[in-house]
Amino acid sequence: IFRSEKVDESVLDELEEALLAADAGLSVTDRLLEGIREGIRKKRFRSSKEVQDALINQIVEILPPAAPFKDQSVPSVWLFLGINGTGKTTTIAKIARWLQKRRKKPYLVAADTFRAAGIEQLKIWGDRLGAPVLCPQRGSDPAAVAFDGIQAAKAQGYDFVLIDTAGRMHTSHNLLQEMAKIYRSTQKALGREPDEILLILDGTAGQNGLSQVRRFHSVVPLTGLIVTKLDGTAKGGIVLAIAAELGLPIKAVGVGEGVDDLEPFDPQAFARSLLG
Amino acid sequence: GLTDRLSELLGRFRGKGRISQEELDNWLRDVRRALLEADVSLSVCRHLVSQIGERARTPDVLEHPAPLRRLSQILYEELVRILGEKVSPVTWAPRPPTIWLLMGLQGSGKTTTAGKLASLYKKQGRKPLLVPADLKRPAASEQLRQIAEQVGVAFFPPDSQDLSRLCQRALRDAQDQGWDLVIVDSAGRMHSDEALMEELAQLKRLLQPHESLLVLDATTGQDAVRLAESFDSRIGLTGVILTKLDSDARGGAVLSVTFVTGKPVKFIGTGEHLQDIDLFHPDRMAARILG
Ligand SMILES: Nc1nc2c(ncn2[C@@H]2O[C@H](COP(=O)(O)OP(=O)(O)OP(=O)(O)O)[C@@H](O)[C@H]2O)c(=O)[nH]1
Ligand SMILES: Nc1nc2c(ncn2[C@@H]2O[C@H](COP(=O)(O)OP(=O)(O)OP(=O)(O)O)[C@@H](O)[C@H]2O)c(=O)[nH]1
Ligand SMILES: [Mg+2]
Ligand SMILES: [Mg+2]
């Protein structure tokens, strides 16, 4: 990314621009560049490539390490949460496919009982994958649907339960309370914590991504994030600010609309692409 | 937000009148930070800060009894100017039907907004027809069909996988049945996906719409500039609809989009219900961006 070859403080401007353009935000950018500025003053870098590599290492240090999904219990129950339109329903389809490739038997629960065709959308994915989908009546209580879905999956011997929920703004007290109720309902159905409580974050989000994670995490104990839509030109740098503040694991990234378009989170690759 | 910092700064310099270069530089740096935190794109921030910095060297500011307050006012006015200054009306065809095309990134709110527009204009005496031109996303046309039913407006059932056939038949139907507002919902797409952008260009050629509206998620960050430039240069926009303003996003993306395309924002989406649509007010948006 460097236009200049010499290693002086002008290189910091180029780095700052790259980080801000990637949605890293001011506070994380300042923090990262502080370390680099120190290194430049102490003449630790012999080329701009060394500066870039140092920055990448610093970014990797902030990022959570690659984290596996919790899949030991049977059934393993995962809850998919997030604001409107981030990719929850599509991500569930991708995860279901990924599980099937590992010879697992996912059971899908269409607990978005609010949005037009929310249930139908998940049903189509389930049919395409040959995975069963619990389809309630539109308007029924999502907490009850989550409960019923877990019971049905247990009774029928499925080992994974993926629960879709309606998009909800983190600014809506009522919808956050509804989410808490869905979460408690999964606890009741299992007699323990659900295995994954995942926030699905749109990779094109700016600083609002941090607000979303904060608010959701203050209502339910998130176990991780999945960042979607990183197949466009957005870099998802808000993930750095989220990592710096909350350190939640990033379990996967979405890179397209197809059922195979899901990749594990690779901190090194992510850091490189942020600056690239 | 910026207004808190500004009043804090003003408090410090009360009674001083003139501003020093250092005070001005600090203030400009604060402005830049506030705009970046609001998701205004880097290039637009840079432009604004340099613009305001220039105005600071004029007598209007230098000889003002409260120069930083005057600068804050100038900043606010400049934002309002970029955002379009006044409410921007929609375009109606000289003879019906009027055709509006909605486009944008995946999940930005196009399908829901199509329903909101239909609901809004049905109340104003129009006869909307909702046309599902997203033939790809699972249950997309079913989603629009359910919305049309909820709002009580006509829905054009897609009978084929061929977009050009669909468009021709929908427009002919509108003529025959007397629907005077045809709202076309398209599939979400990445502006970097050349094949899908070509498909959208083709769709627009077939429809010859009176409005080509970018549906933009208010939570979008720095990507807003890239996507706006791409949609406008590749497809051509007549306006923007900014959705999800019920979030706590400051919405700086909209400033970047209007700055870079020069196209006005016509509506805002303020919730997931079909009545959650309003006209866009530049002054309110400027205040929101400045925090
Ligand atoms: N390009 C791209 N599109 C994606 C990705 N993930 C999801 N999408 C698209 O984003 C749009 C929204 O996806 P959904 O799965 O409906 O999102 P959601 O969070 O369930 O939406 P709501 O239930 O309405 O809140 C769809 O058009 C998806 O195809 C991704 O990784 N890349
Ligand atoms: N809170 C809120 N939700 C909105 C708003 N506008 C749309 N939504 C929601 O955002 C989600 C995505 O809306 P859609 O209308 O499906 O978006 P889309 O652009 O058609 O999505 P694709 O066709 O997949 O690209 C849905 O859950 C909508 O209810 C808004 O202004 N506020
Ligand atoms: Mg969904
Ligand atoms: Mg749609």
Side-chain angles (χ1 to χ4, degrees):
Chain A
I1 54 150
F2 292 114
R3 279 165 247 142
S4 53
E5 250 312 306
K6 49 200 298 290
V7 181
D8 59 21
E9 299 216 2
S10 72
V11 124
L12 289 171
D13 292 337
E14 292 178 42
L15 290 176
E16 185 193 51
E17 190 158 325
L19 288 169
L20 290 176
D23 285 306
L26 283 163
S27 127
V28 161
T29 298
D30 287 349
R31 170 176 152 176
L32 286 168
L33 293 185
E34 208 29 58
I36 300 299
R37 178 175 289 115
E38 192 65 11
I40 289 177
R41 278 204 201 109
K42 298 196 170 145
K43 308 230 183 285
R44 281 200 214 117
F45 306 115
R46 285 164 303 171
S47 68
S48 55
K49 168 139 193 347
E50 285 191 13
V51 178
Q52 183 158 333
D53 288 344
L55 182 57
I56 287 174
N57 287 335
Q58 269 190 235
I59 292 172
V60 171
E61 266 172 44
I62 292 183
L63 288 170
F69 288 105
K70 272 197 72 208
D71 59 2
Q72 299 314 317
S73 33
V74 183
S76 184
V77 174
W78 303 5
L79 198 49
F80 290 76
L81 309 171
I83 70 162
N84 309 74
T86 58
K88 298 174 289 301
T89 306
T90 309
T91 300
I92 288 176
K94 296 174 182 180
I95 296 270
R97 172 100 189 102
W98 179 78
L99 288 170
Q100 286 175 334
K101 284 192 191 152
R102 284 164 179 66
R103 310 192 179 291
K104 306 295 184 185
K105 300 201 299 161
Y107 185 95
L108 312 187
V109 181
D112 174 0
T113 57
F114 168 75
R115 207 206 68 206
I119 295 161
E120 290 87 331
Q121 184 185 359
L122 189 67
K123 176 81 172 100
I124 290 175
W125 278 118
D127 289 349
R128 285 183 187 177
L129 295 172
V133 187
L134 179 65
C135 293
Q137 292 275 35
R138 188 178 174 190
S140 47
D141 174 13
V145 174
F147 187 95
D148 293 347
I150 291 171
Q151 304 299 49
K154 275 202 265 176
Q156 297 170 38
Y158 288 90
D159 49 14
F160 280 83
V161 186
L162 311 179
I163 304 175
D164 194 11
T165 64
R168 68 198 64 239
M169 263 319 156
H170 53 299
T171 45
S172 163
H173 175 79
N174 290 345
L175 294 181
L176 292 180
Q177 287 313 304
E178 179 190 78
M179 177 177 73
K181 190 160 171 281
I182 296 171
Y183 162 61
R184 286 195 299 274
S185 177
T186 64
Q187 290 173 310
K188 284 203 202 84
L190 288 167
R192 59 171 170 81
E193 287 296 297
D195 301 82
E196 292 286 356
I197 304 171
L198 302 166
L199 184 81
I200 312 308
L201 185 70
D202 191 321
T204 67
Q207 298 308 300
N208 195 250
L210 182 55
S211 175
Q212 293 170 34
V213 180
R214 278 184 191 138
R215 297 228 193 164
F216 272 78
H217 197 42
S218 73
V219 175
V220 296
L222 298 176
T223 60
L225 313 178
I226 295 182
V227 186
T228 61
K229 307 182 196 172
L230 289 182
D231 47 305
T233 53
K235 305 284 181 149
I238 190 58
V239 145
L240 286 184
I242 295 167
E245 184 167 314
L246 292 165
L248 285 167
I250 298 169
K251 305 266 178 163
V253 297
V255 293
E257 302 195 73
V259 81
D260 292 311
D261 294 332
L262 191 73
E263 291 173 357
F265 176 68
D266 176 348
Q268 276 284 342
F270 186 84
R272 291 200 175 278
S273 113
L274 268 190
L275 299 184
Chain B
L2 182 63
T3 32
D4 301 331
R5 284 219 218 86
L6 292 184
S7 40
E8 185 215 336
L9 268 178
L10 293 173
R12 262 189 271 148
F13 302 129
R14 189 134 300 146
K16 276 194 184 177
R18 314 224 117 214
I19 35 169
S20 72
Q21 188 59 45
E22 182 187 9
E23 284 160 0
L24 175 62
D25 287 345
N26 288 340
W27 186 84
L28 286 173
R29 201 177 51 236
D30 273 355
V31 168
R32 178 179 180 264
R33 289 190 79 86
L35 292 173
L36 284 171
E37 279 167 16
D39 290 322
V40 178
S41 79
L42 268 172
S43 54
V44 177
C45 278
R46 198 172 300 132
H47 163 86
L48 272 168
V49 167
S50 96
Q51 189 103 330
I52 306 295
E54 301 267 310
R55 298 281 296 268
R57 293 183 194 82
T58 63
D60 168 31
V61 176
L62 289 174
E63 295 168 14
H64 198 276
L68 287 180
R69 186 172 302 134
R70 177 71 193 121
L71 273 175
S72 312
Q73 199 181 347
I74 288 172
L75 174 63
Y76 171 78
E77 287 168 0
E78 183 60 9
L79 255 60
V80 173
R81 196 186 64 75
I82 293 173
L83 291 169
E85 256 157 357
K86 53 182 170 17
V87 172
S88 193
V90 281
T91 307
W92 298 101
R95 273 196 338 248
T98 293
I99 305 160
W100 295 347
L101 171 62
L102 301 186
M103 60 184 87
L105 257 52
Q106 288 89 348
S108 63
K110 299 172 291 298
T111 306
T112 309
T113 301
K116 291 177 179 182
L117 289 169
S119 173
L120 180 66
Y121 286 100
K122 177 186 179 197
K123 291 192 189 114
Q124 297 187 14
R126 303 280 174 170
K127 298 200 233 71
L129 172 69
L130 286 172
V131 180
D134 176 357
L135 303 174
K136 197 181 62 177
R137 167 174 150 156
S141 57
E142 176 60 16
Q143 181 185 5
L144 192 62
R145 194 197 62 72
Q146 288 185 14
I147 286 171
E149 186 172 329
Q150 208 172 318
V151 171
V153 298
F155 171 75
F156 183 81
D159 58 347
S160 78
Q161 275 301 111
D162 184 68
L163 267 187
S164 70
R165 256 178 57 91
L166 183 143
C167 287
Q168 288 165 3
R169 292 200 48 239
L171 294 183
R172 200 168 59 232
D173 256 28
Q175 286 282 6
D176 298 346
Q177 308 287 340
W179 293 311
D180 54 13
L181 175 60
V182 178
I183 301 170
V184 183
D185 178 27
S186 70
R189 69 202 68 225
M190 289 296 181
H191 53 284
S192 49
D193 186 325
E194 186 42 45
L196 286 185
M197 291 302 275
E198 178 51 34
E199 175 196 82
L200 183 60
Q202 229 243 350
L203 180 59
K204 187 180 173 193
R205 274 196 296 275
L206 289 164
L207 292 171
Q208 299 289 315
H210 305 89
E211 289 278 0
S212 298
L213 301 165
L214 176 71
V215 177
L216 175 74
D217 186 330
T219 68
T220 308
Q222 294 288 317
D223 206 43
V225 151
R226 296 167 216 139
L227 79 94
E229 275 174 337
S230 197
F231 272 88
D232 198 27
S233 65
R234 189 78 185 69
I235 310 295
L237 306 175
T238 59
V240 178
I241 301 179
L242 185 67
T243 63
K244 305 184 198 173
L245 274 178
D246 48 316
S247 68
D248 53 354
R250 299 258 290 278
V254 75
L255 190 72
S256 311
V257 169
T258 51
F259 181 76
V260 141
T261 64
K263 301 294 159 60
V265 183
K266 307 230 171 176
F267 300 99
I268 58 172
T270 58
E272 53 193 355
H273 293 98
L274 295 169
Q275 65 263 36
D276 296 333
I277 180 169
D278 282 315
L279 292 176
F280 175 74
H281 293 272
D283 54 346
R284 292 180 206 169
M285 193 70 214
R288 176 179 178 132
I289 290 171
L290 291 175

